[in-house]
Amino acid sequence: MLGRSRNYNFRPENLGQNALALIGNLCFAFFVVGVLVFTIIAATYQPEDPLFHPSTKITTFLTSNSNATFKSDNDVVKTGEDFMPANQTEIGKFLEIADVAGENAEEAGTTCKTDGPIDCRDPEVFHMLMKATIEHFMDIHFYRFGKAVAGSNDTTCDMAWRFRPKEGKTAAFYKDYRRFVISRSDNCTMSVVSIGDYHSGVNARKKKRKLRPVLGKAPENQDLGMALPVVGETVNDALPLVESENSFHQGKYLVYMGGGDRCKNMNQYLWSFLCALGEAQYLNRTLVMDLTLCLNSMYTSSGQDEEGKDFRFYFDFEHLSESSTVLDKDQFWSDWKKWQKKDRLSLHLVEDIKVTPMKLSEVKDTLIMRKFGNVEPDNYWYRVCEGETESVVQRPWHLVWKSRRLMDIVSAVATKLNWDYDSAHIERGEKARNKELWPNLETDTSPNSLLTTLADKIEDGRHLYIATNEPDTSFFDPLKDKYTTHFLNEYKELWNENSEWYIETMKLNKGIPVDFDGYMKASVDTEVFLRGKKQIETFNDLTNDCKDGVNTCNAAAS
């Protein structure tokens, strides 16, 4: 009957039926709540990525079967050269004084001439310069000397060499070229009066012809045996070109379009970019890449995301283009418009990240275009490499190195310190102010605490390079009582308007000056720190707080 209320029958014979109904309703309610909670967690959770933990964990990570997960991290991104073993025996034998032959003018029976310019190509002069260099720079090993050439006047010579620090922990060669002032006595005995500053011997710098590389062809005179970066060489980061219409027609290409990675931090950018590069290699296709970046606001002086940054400001594009097949998207679309209709070039569109690279391996179309939507996080590029793909497509870390222009600044700073310094990474900033997650950090990184903690780790009187996010470096003035302290801002001449870095990046940027932004500073600061003989870390050596906050130390170590 309408309007009649429903009553439960609690007679003994009906209690079992009612209890089952009540249990069923409760179970369904728990199921609905569980599905809701799982959905929220799935949408927000980003599993940790061991790649961006300290170097002690990198080996474990690289030997694991999983490489797809990502965790947002504001640290400076690690690149391919960070994973190379710095094994002295693998790098080769270095030169010593005993390896340098020489003879004086009298023993050689030559005519003594005290007038006229110094002949820098004379073997005697060359050997003298090599000996003087090896004796002067006690903390580096020399692997190759270039021929000496005339300097700025009759009494100077310029010479270049390739070297590594004796206690180098990074796998790289460095190149320096300096100006030598030479004196000559009445009996023709010569000696080195002085050796100039870092990169002062500009006439000995070997200049490369900046030819545009041809897609798919190894550059002429490429040193295939040199697997290590050489910091200090002239950089040729000209964009690759397609040799002909037929070459373009024969090629196979992959391009990623859209997505939510833009303007995220640099770690996420590289994590996603390497997923795209890994898929291109798996499919044996050329990756069509956008060389313009959006720099996240955390790195900019304006505090806003900034578009228009060049990939080549931050990474070694010359190494990437020599070691793989990549093509600038502007160049590609220009060629595509010219020849697509004429040569009937076909396009295969993919709009679902669930379409794995394995499913695309048989696609014959000229271009595979992955188009990403607007919903995060499903529109992150790195999602393509998750799931079953992670055991098939490997990120080619060895193809991406840091910008050699930035690394040249690192080399210049280390050279000014004679490669004989210790270093400390002291993190303060927002973490020091957040007592809930880092209760001891502010106190543990105060000058008085640092003096106590460093006393057992760094010898008195040592040069101490401090890499820090503390904006006021005078905060560390009390440390000067025991150490000669150095900070990155002391070396601004290496990126100011008269510097080599400034001039070259401005040319790369079509005549527009390039800001030495926060990411560049953090990258250089970190790399100088990593070249210290002793390296003191904030969360390993200076405080018991955990890097990621309270009760996260065990998780970070696992």
Side-chain angles (χ1 to χ4, degrees):
M1 180 182 292
L2 293 175
R4 191 179 192 177
S5 61
R6 183 177 178 181
N7 295 317
Y8 286 98
N9 191 340
F10 291 101
R11 288 183 298 178
E13 61 269 24
N14 293 326
L15 286 177
Q17 182 179 355
N18 291 338
L20 288 174
L22 181 61
I23 293 172
N25 290 336
L26 286 173
C27 290
F28 180 74
F30 281 123
F31 172 75
V32 172
V33 172
V35 169
L36 180 61
V37 171
F38 179 79
T39 303
I40 293 172
I41 293 174
T44 59
Y45 174 67
Q46 290 181 329
E48 75 162 353
D49 168 29
L51 185 67
F52 301 117
H53 286 267
S55 57
T56 53
K57 297 189 63 183
I58 292 175
T59 302
T60 302
F61 169 72
L62 291 177
T63 55
S64 71
N65 294 322
S66 175
N67 74 337
T69 57
F70 174 79
K71 176 183 176 182
S72 179
D73 194 320
N74 297 337
D75 290 346
V76 173
V77 68
K78 289 180 171 61
T79 50
E81 68 272 43
D82 295 320
F83 306 138
M84 295 179 179
N87 189 320
Q88 186 72 55
T89 57
E90 292 180 3
I91 291 171
K93 187 180 183 301
F94 54 88
L95 298 172
E96 301 182 81
I97 288 287
D99 299 319
V100 180
E103 57 184 13
N104 59 42
E106 294 178 3
E107 290 174 345
T110 57
T111 303
C112 177
K113 294 182 180 180
T114 58
D115 57 343
I118 299 291
D119 182 6
C120 298
R121 295 187 179 276
D122 185 337
E124 180 189 354
V125 174
F126 181 45
H127 295 147
M128 178 185 67
L129 297 183
M130 285 193 287
K131 287 182 178 179
T133 303
I134 295 173
E135 290 172 350
H136 183 77
F137 299 104
M138 303 294 292
D139 286 280
I140 62 178
H141 285 153
F142 297 88
Y143 291 84
R144 182 186 302 174
F145 285 94
K147 293 180 180 178
V149 298
S152 58
N153 56 45
D154 290 351
T155 61
T156 60
C157 295
D158 292 358
M159 186 175 69
W161 55 84
R162 182 175 289 180
F163 71 95
R164 292 189 74 246
K166 282 185 178 180
E167 299 184 25
K169 300 178 179 66
T170 56
F173 284 108
Y174 302 86
K175 185 176 182 179
D176 196 0
Y177 35 91
R178 303 209 182 198
R179 181 152 292 167
F180 296 76
V181 177
I182 301 170
S183 69
R184 181 170 49 193
S185 65
D186 292 339
N187 65 353
C188 290
T189 300
M190 290 182 287
S191 62
V192 174
V193 176
S194 64
I195 302 176
D197 293 333
Y198 181 75
H199 282 194
S200 56
V202 292
N203 293 345
R205 186 183 189 187
K206 188 176 181 180
K207 295 179 174 61
K208 289 183 182 179
R209 293 198 313 165
K210 292 199 173 185
L211 300 175
R212 292 187 66 180
V214 177
L215 186 69
K217 284 190 175 182
E220 294 182 8
N221 302 321
Q222 182 179 359
D223 188 355
L224 297 176
M226 181 56 63
L228 300 180
V230 181
V231 176
E233 294 277 16
T234 304
V235 178
N236 178 15
D237 42 23
L239 301 180
L241 54 81
V242 179
E243 190 173 24
S244 64
E245 178 182 348
N246 184 59
S247 296
F248 188 84
H249 174 75
Q250 296 294 326
K252 301 293 182 184
Y253 307 92
L254 171 69
V255 64
Y256 280 30
M257 302 291 290
D261 295 288
R262 201 156 187 86
C263 299
K264 296 295 190 292
N265 66 50
M266 195 67 83
N267 284 326
Q268 179 165 339
Y269 165 78
L270 192 61
W271 191 240
S272 286
F273 171 73
L274 282 168
C275 174
L277 189 58
E279 181 180 26
Q281 290 206 317
Y282 173 78
L283 297 174
N284 197 26
R285 288 175 174 265
T286 295
L287 180 66
V288 179
M289 62 177 290
D290 185 354
L291 264 75
T292 63
L293 308 183
C294 174
L295 190 65
N296 186 274
S297 59
M298 71 174 71
Y299 310 122
T300 65
S301 56
S302 66
Q304 303 292 321
D305 295 341
E306 293 182 3
E307 289 279 4
K309 301 294 183 177
D310 197 303
F311 179 92
R312 295 168 290 182
F313 296 164
Y314 308 97
F315 303 105
D316 187 346
F317 184 74
E318 180 178 7
H319 171 67
L320 175 63
S321 61
E322 287 180 354
S323 307
S324 63
T325 54
V326 294
L327 196 60
D328 173 51
K329 71 174 182 64
D330 292 336
Q331 175 72 51
F332 173 81
W333 289 121
S334 174
D335 291 341
W336 180 266
K337 289 177 182 178
K338 283 190 296 185
W339 298 319
Q340 187 259 330
K341 289 184 178 179
K342 177 183 176 183
D343 295 337
R344 297 181 180 179
L345 305 179
S346 56
L347 181 151
H348 184 89
L349 181 63
V350 181
E351 295 184 292
D352 188 349
I353 61 171
K354 294 179 182 178
V355 178
T356 66
M358 295 77 81
K359 294 178 180 178
L360 299 175
S361 59
E362 300 301 322
V363 172
K364 304 299 183 184
D365 298 271
T366 303
L367 174 64
I368 294 177
M369 177 190 290
R370 279 196 181 273
K371 196 171 182 180
F372 295 82
N374 299 318
V375 180
E376 298 185 21
D378 286 342
N379 63 349
Y380 293 160
W381 290 7
Y382 68 77
R383 298 296 299 273
V384 172
C385 294
E386 292 183 337
E388 61 179 308
T389 303
E390 64 182 281
S391 61
V392 179
V393 174
Q394 302 297 315
R395 285 177 171 83
W397 288 99
H398 62 286
L399 298 181
V400 179
W401 292 349
K402 296 177 183 68
S403 161
R404 277 185 282 160
R405 291 189 177 93
L406 290 180
M407 295 305 296
D408 202 23
I409 294 177
V410 173
S411 179
V413 174
T415 299
K416 288 176 180 292
L417 295 171
N418 292 318
W419 296 88
D420 183 19
Y421 64 95
D422 299 319
S423 56
H425 174 232
I426 303 176
E427 187 166 350
R428 289 179 55 81
E430 292 183 7
K431 289 186 177 181
R433 292 188 289 271
N434 188 334
K435 299 296 177 56
E436 184 177 345
L437 291 178
W438 296 276
N440 305 301
L441 181 60
E442 184 176 30
T443 301
D444 290 342
T445 56
S446 66
N448 289 336
S449 295
L450 289 171
L451 283 170
T452 302
T453 308
L454 293 176
D456 297 330
K457 302 178 185 298
I458 305 292
E459 296 177 9
D460 288 5
R462 288 284 294 164
H463 287 274
L464 178 63
Y465 182 88
I466 299 177
T468 182
N469 59 351
E470 173 62 50
D472 181 13
T473 56
S474 65
F475 175 81
F476 299 103
D477 279 354
L479 274 66
K480 293 181 179 179
D481 292 339
K482 295 185 67 174
Y483 309 106
T484 303
T485 58
H486 304 273
F487 301 89
L488 182 62
N489 59 14
E490 297 173 17
Y491 305 97
K492 292 181 179 179
E493 75 276 5
L494 297 174
W495 62 83
N496 68 16
E497 60 185 16
N498 296 317
S499 68
E500 187 175 304
W501 178 89
Y502 184 93
I503 294 169
E504 290 192 0
T505 54
M506 187 167 67
K507 289 179 181 177
L508 194 63
N509 204 35
K510 301 178 181 178
I512 301 172
V514 176
D515 178 42
F516 194 72
D517 58 55
Y519 184 80
M520 296 174 183
K521 290 176 183 177
S523 182
V524 171
D525 210 20
T526 300
E527 293 299 323
V528 176
F529 161 77
L530 290 173
R531 282 151 183 77
K533 288 186 174 180
K534 290 183 180 178
Q535 300 165 13
I536 307 301
E537 287 274 12
T538 301
F539 295 104
N540 291 332
D541 305 304
L542 301 178
T543 181
N544 289 325
D545 285 353
C546 304
K547 179 180 179 181
D548 297 320
V550 173
N551 297 326
T552 62
C553 292
N554 291 336
S558 61

